[in-house]
Amino acid sequence: MIIQKTENSRLSTFDPNNFSFGNTFSDHMIICEYEDGKWGDVKLVPYGPLLFTPAMMGVNYGQACFEGMKAYKDNDGQVFLFRPEKNFERINKSAKRLAMPEVTEEMFLDGLKALVDTDRNWIPQGEGMSLYIRPLIFATEEALKARVANKYMFAIVATPAKSYYADPVSVKISDHYSRAASGGVGSAKAAGNYAASFYPTQLAMEEGYDQIIWTDDATHEYFEESGTMNVFVRINDTIYTPPTSEKILDGVTRDSFIQLANKRGLDIRVEPIAVQAVLDAHKNGTLKEVWGVGTAVVTTVFKALGHKGEKLQLPSLPDDESYAALLKSDLVNLQNNISEDPFGWRVLVKKDVLETA
Amino acid sequence: MIIQKTENSRLSTFDPNNFSFGNTFSDHMIICEYEDGKWGDVKLVPYGPLLFTPAMMGVNYGQACFEGMKAYKDNDGQVFLFRPEKNFERINKSAKRLAMPEVTEEMFLDGLKALVDTDRNWIPQGEGMSLYIRPLIFATEEALKARVANKYMFAIVATPAKSYYADPVSVKISDHYSRAASGGVGSAKAAGNYAASFYPTQLAMEEGYDQIIWTDDATHEYFEESGTMNVFVRINDTIYTPPTSEKILDGVTRDSFIQLANKRGLDIRVEPIAVQAVLDAHKNGTLKEVWGVGTAVVTTVFKALGHKGEKLQLPSLPDDESYAALLKSDLVNLQNNISEDPFGWRVLVKKDVLETA
Ligand SMILES: Cc1ncc(COP(=O)(O)O)c(C=O)c1O
Ligand SMILES: Cc1ncc(COP(=O)(O)O)c(C=O)c1O
């Protein structure tokens, strides 16, 4: 790895009690360029702009995919990643679907650790705090032909993240717009999937909702995901979540929730969720909770579901009766080194990895 | 418009008889930035790199759309655009679907004319030659949140383009992968649509095909488009092309072909094309021609259709019996100011538009 640390740290300008998520960047970034069929050296460099023309293929043809993950600081100042190998596997699955070169495990994990270690002082401490990390691969070749590019960049950038707290939200069950096609790229964390979701989400917001529950594009009869979260439904004391497919992103939080629920002995089933079954459960009073899960806020509880012009209010369970709250706290405690880690999910980021390499 | 012409023209390095399409860029580009809810000044500047970080939202979330159009030089050296208002309308349709700011007609058309006039010496002369022009809009804000961006760039870049000649190709009728979802972004020229098509196209190539005919994602029973072209099928003497929809790009060449066919009194029908109807026509010998149309090569004739493991050979018609060849020549003659323009499709690019403005 080539190391070029900044001589102008911006850390003194960073107030961990007062910052905005997503546009405060830590001092460094990882970059690595792909050319002539191979990846070059991984470099740790000061975060900042690079030179790209408007003919960059990543921008023109959307050949770009990314990951989202976090580093957590425990009470002793130790820093942990959470299941980084899952993000490594997923970025390569995305890359493959978009005909992009896969990254090596070494590039991905060593890059992550080097960046997180070097910028460890950017990780805010305390409940719900973390460093959000964004690995991405994008086509950098300058060319105006709709074809697979020959040049790419792998990069990792990071931004401090605040509390997990998320107000319950109202979500609209989509009956026209959709996120993914059968035989499409829904299971990839493909850049273009996100832009495609913005306009339908704006329309849902104009109708008084915060988010959308995406349904299958052919019939709109089955739940897929919600916004950038996987979705869980509790009917009586059984939890359901749809199986992943080529249309649904295989979320790390989803998988962790399933394992944590099993560990607790809860009745959790990976099964298709029919919109009608949810509506029926609402009507007969057995619909207890509906929530989304993802790296960003771990869990967002839904307080209302919109369906074809009707807004169905959902029960508001106290935390000690809520499976969503229970599993969230199990996960957060594990991520933050407050509880045991029977799964081996935490990965310690050693100090001075670069010096001792 | 703010004009900053290059002092280091690369024109002397450009050999119109020996250049590669898509990565030879003309001397200038148009750029215009959007911030605080409005577009700033349109600028003509030397083509070249700008500063962007890997946190650029256009790359992370695929909020980017583009256009593809051409400028043609006639035998007297006069330069014409072809139906530029169609590309203007379409880029705004794409922008809207991706929750991006629309551009004004003035920005788009004045930008185009200024660039094409300034770089008119980059337009190769002769049959099939042209300048390919790429207007695009992309999110430039640096932020790691999957939401609508606040900063964008509108840009226009250009690359000289060679002969229209395209060998007949073999295309695979898709029976698994798809380009667009119902309720998705297929009718937008969204960056992400192209990346999504690369891997399925690679797989088709490994099976011995050059391109894919996309079918509807739910049943794969109806033709949608082929590669980056709209598709036409001739059975006996009737021409069919599918109606545009939210899954099909509304191509300028497609629309021009329909109008030219009508003008010639050909029987052309805008109707869904069932895969089975095409297979049946092939079997009973009434399938005469299948071809794709788009700005890049105007027409690509298909010589074979792949369907579920079978490769059906198509007839090879001489030019004087081919509707594809007839309509292509009608269009090319009109674009190149060889024939009359009863439709008012040609738009002359005046000389020294900037000086006389
Ligand atoms: C579309 C989509 N679904 C689900 C998720 C949840 O995945 P994870 O739990 O790995 O963050 C994400 C990522 O944030 C996503 O973008
Ligand atoms: C997906 C797709 N379909 C069809 C076309 C043809 O459109 P046009 O004739 O406007 O070039 C294009 C553009 O090249 C395209 O990208």
Side-chain angles (χ1 to χ4, degrees):
Chain A
M1 196 175 304
I2 294 176
I3 312 292
Q4 188 202 328
K5 289 202 190 168
T6 182
E7 289 173 2
N8 299 298
S9 170
R10 288 173 281 100
L11 189 61
S12 65
T13 67
F14 169 59
D15 177 356
N17 299 309
N18 183 21
F19 65 93
S20 77
F21 170 74
N23 51 19
T24 303
F25 297 95
S26 72
D27 274 331
H28 298 90
M29 64 183 181
I30 296 287
I31 55 173
C32 181
E33 288 178 83
Y34 182 94
E35 201 171 343
D36 298 327
K38 58 181 192 298
W39 289 107
D41 288 318
V42 176
K43 298 178 193 165
L44 177 100
V45 298
Y47 172 84
L50 303 168
L51 292 167
F52 298 114
T53 80
M56 195 219 299
M57 292 177 80
V59 156
N60 282 267
Y61 303 117
Q63 227 193 343
C65 63
F66 67 94
E67 275 303 323
M69 50 199 303
K70 284 180 172 176
Y72 307 88
K73 194 177 263 180
D74 76 4
N75 289 333
D76 302 330
Q78 294 189 98
V79 173
F80 297 92
L81 295 170
F82 182 72
R83 308 185 76 184
E85 73 288 353
K86 296 288 278 181
N87 300 91
F88 164 67
E89 286 162 15
R90 194 168 63 188
I91 203 170
N92 278 344
K93 189 175 156 193
S94 300
K96 188 171 177 199
R97 180 61 183 83
L98 298 172
M100 301 167 76
E102 296 178 30
V103 295
T104 66
E105 186 157 4
E106 204 188 339
M107 280 168 66
F108 189 87
L109 293 181
D110 291 0
L112 269 180
K113 287 177 188 168
L115 179 64
V116 171
D117 177 40
T118 307
D119 286 346
R120 62 169 63 233
N121 292 334
W122 285 88
I123 312 177
Q125 210 161 7
E127 211 196 313
M129 302 290 221
S130 63
L131 184 70
Y132 179 85
I133 308 166
R134 165 64 51 86
L136 71 155
I137 313 176
F138 57 103
T140 53
E141 188 183 350
E142 273 173 67
L144 300 181
K145 264 182 182 169
R147 59 148 169 82
V148 172
N150 293 310
K151 294 184 191 169
Y152 297 87
M153 178 172 280
F154 168 63
I156 313 180
V157 295
T159 178
K162 275 192 280 206
S163 166
Y164 299 110
Y165 184 73
D167 277 324
V169 299
S170 301
V171 293
K172 175 176 171 165
I173 300 173
S174 194
D175 53 14
H176 174 70
Y177 289 104
S178 40
R179 197 188 85 86
S182 294
V185 295
S187 67
K189 230 169 141 72
N193 289 343
Y194 296 82
S197 72
F198 294 162
Y199 178 70
T201 306
Q202 275 186 341
L203 293 181
M205 285 176 177
E206 285 167 17
E207 288 181 60
Y209 297 97
D210 303 283
Q211 259 305 345
I212 285 178
I213 293 187
W214 300 106
T215 48
D216 66 295
D217 77 310
T219 69
H220 299 291
E221 286 175 10
Y222 291 92
F223 278 19
E224 289 186 340
E225 314 188 38
S226 178
T228 59
M229 296 180 291
N230 292 107
V231 67
F232 287 77
V233 171
R234 173 179 169 193
I235 296 176
N236 283 323
D237 285 346
T238 303
I239 307 170
Y240 299 88
T241 191
T244 55
S245 72
E246 63 178 0
K247 301 171 75 183
I248 295 183
L249 196 82
D250 188 356
V252 179
T253 318
R254 171 187 177 281
D255 183 76
S256 306
F257 262 59
I258 294 171
Q259 295 197 46
L260 289 166
N262 280 323
K263 182 157 177 286
R264 284 225 172 241
L266 299 178
D267 181 15
I268 183 156
R269 302 188 191 172
V270 177
E271 283 178 16
I273 299 176
V275 173
Q276 194 55 51
V278 174
L279 300 179
D280 290 347
H282 181 264
K283 198 175 256 172
N284 67 30
T286 55
L287 183 64
K288 297 276 182 63
E289 299 178 79
V290 186
W291 70 92
V293 308
T295 295
V297 288
V298 186
T299 293
T300 302
V301 168
F302 301 159
K303 65 179 179 197
L305 301 179
H307 186 251
K308 303 207 167 153
E310 254 195 292
K311 195 165 189 169
L312 313 176
Q313 301 300 325
L314 294 173
S316 159
L317 297 185
D319 271 7
D320 61 355
E321 289 174 25
S322 160
Y323 287 169
L326 180 69
L327 295 170
K328 174 176 185 168
S329 109
D330 281 357
L331 181 56
V332 166
N333 288 340
L334 196 158
Q335 287 170 329
N336 289 277
N337 197 24
I338 291 167
S339 64
E340 291 297 289
D341 177 14
F343 305 99
W345 285 344
R346 277 194 302 261
V347 174
L348 181 73
V349 178
K350 295 210 190 81
K351 273 203 179 148
D352 304 324
V353 266
L354 295 173
E355 282 71 13
T356 60
Chain B
M1 195 176 303
I2 294 175
I3 312 290
Q4 188 201 329
K5 289 200 190 169
T6 183
E7 289 172 4
N8 300 297
S9 170
R10 289 174 280 102
L11 189 61
S12 65
T13 67
F14 170 60
D15 177 357
N17 299 309
N18 183 23
F19 66 92
S20 76
F21 170 73
N23 50 18
T24 304
F25 296 95
S26 70
D27 275 331
H28 298 91
M29 64 184 182
I30 296 288
I31 56 173
C32 180
E33 288 178 83
Y34 182 94
E35 202 171 342
D36 299 328
K38 59 181 189 301
W39 290 106
D41 287 318
V42 175
K43 298 178 194 167
L44 176 100
V45 298
Y47 173 83
L50 304 168
L51 292 167
F52 298 116
T53 80
M56 195 220 299
M57 293 177 80
V59 156
N60 282 268
Y61 303 117
Q63 225 190 349
C65 63
F66 68 94
E67 274 305 321
M69 51 199 300
K70 284 179 171 176
Y72 307 87
K73 194 177 264 181
D74 74 6
N75 290 333
D76 301 328
Q78 292 189 99
V79 173
F80 297 92
L81 295 170
F82 181 71
R83 307 184 77 183
E85 74 289 351
K86 296 288 279 180
N87 301 90
F88 164 67
E89 284 162 17
R90 194 169 63 186
I91 202 169
N92 278 344
K93 189 175 157 191
S94 300
K96 188 173 177 195
R97 180 60 184 82
L98 299 172
M100 300 168 76
E102 296 177 31
V103 295
T104 65
E105 188 159 2
E106 203 189 341
M107 282 168 64
F108 190 86
L109 293 181
D110 291 359
L112 269 180
K113 288 178 188 168
L115 179 64
V116 171
D117 177 40
T118 307
D119 286 348
R120 62 169 61 232
N121 292 334
W122 286 87
I123 312 176
Q125 211 160 7
E127 211 197 313
M129 302 289 222
S130 63
L131 184 71
Y132 179 85
I133 309 166
R134 167 62 50 85
L136 71 156
I137 313 175
F138 58 103
T140 53
E141 188 182 350
E142 273 174 67
L144 301 180
K145 265 183 183 168
R147 57 145 171 83
V148 173
N150 293 311
K151 293 183 192 171
Y152 298 87
M153 178 173 279
F154 167 63
I156 313 179
V157 295
T159 179
K162 275 190 281 207
S163 167
Y164 299 113
Y165 185 74
D167 276 325
V169 300
S170 299
V171 293
K172 175 177 171 164
I173 300 174
S174 193
D175 52 15
H176 174 70
Y177 289 104
S178 39
R179 198 189 84 86
S182 293
V185 295
S187 66
K189 232 170 141 68
N193 288 345
Y194 296 83
S197 72
F198 294 162
Y199 178 70
T201 305
Q202 275 186 340
L203 293 180
M205 285 176 177
E206 286 167 15
E207 288 180 59
Y209 296 96
D210 303 284
Q211 259 306 345
I212 287 180
I213 292 188
W214 300 108
T215 48
D216 66 294
D217 77 309
T219 69
H220 298 292
E221 286 174 10
Y222 291 91
F223 277 20
E224 289 185 341
E225 312 188 40
S226 178
T228 57
M229 296 179 293
N230 292 106
V231 66
F232 288 76
V233 172
R234 173 179 169 193
I235 296 175
N236 284 322
D237 285 345
T238 302
I239 307 170
Y240 299 88
T241 191
T244 55
S245 72
E246 62 178 359
K247 302 171 75 184
I248 297 183
L249 196 81
D250 188 356
V252 179
T253 319
R254 170 188 177 278
D255 183 75
S256 305
F257 262 60
I258 295 171
Q259 295 196 45
L260 289 166
N262 279 323
K263 183 158 175 286
R264 283 221 171 244
L266 299 177
D267 181 16
I268 182 155
R269 302 190 191 171
V270 177
E271 283 178 16
I273 299 176
V275 174
Q276 194 55 49
V278 175
L279 301 178
D280 291 348
H282 180 265
K283 199 173 256 170
N284 66 30
T286 55
L287 184 64
K288 297 275 182 62
E289 302 178 76
V290 187
W291 71 91
V293 307
T295 295
V297 289
V298 185
T299 293
T300 302
V301 169
F302 301 159
K303 64 179 181 198
L305 300 180
H307 187 251
K308 304 210 166 149
E310 255 195 291
K311 197 167 186 165
L312 313 176
Q313 301 300 324
L314 295 175
S316 160
L317 297 186
D319 271 9
D320 62 352
E321 290 176 24
S322 159
Y323 288 170
L326 179 70
L327 295 170
K328 175 177 183 167
S329 111
D330 281 356
L331 182 56
V332 165
N333 288 340
L334 195 160
Q335 287 171 329
N336 289 275
N337 197 24
I338 292 167
S339 64
E340 290 295 291
D341 177 14
F343 305 100
W345 286 344
R346 278 194 302 262
V347 174
L348 179 74
V349 178
K350 295 209 189 82
K351 272 202 180 149
D352 304 323
V353 264
L354 295 174
E355 282 70 13
T356 58

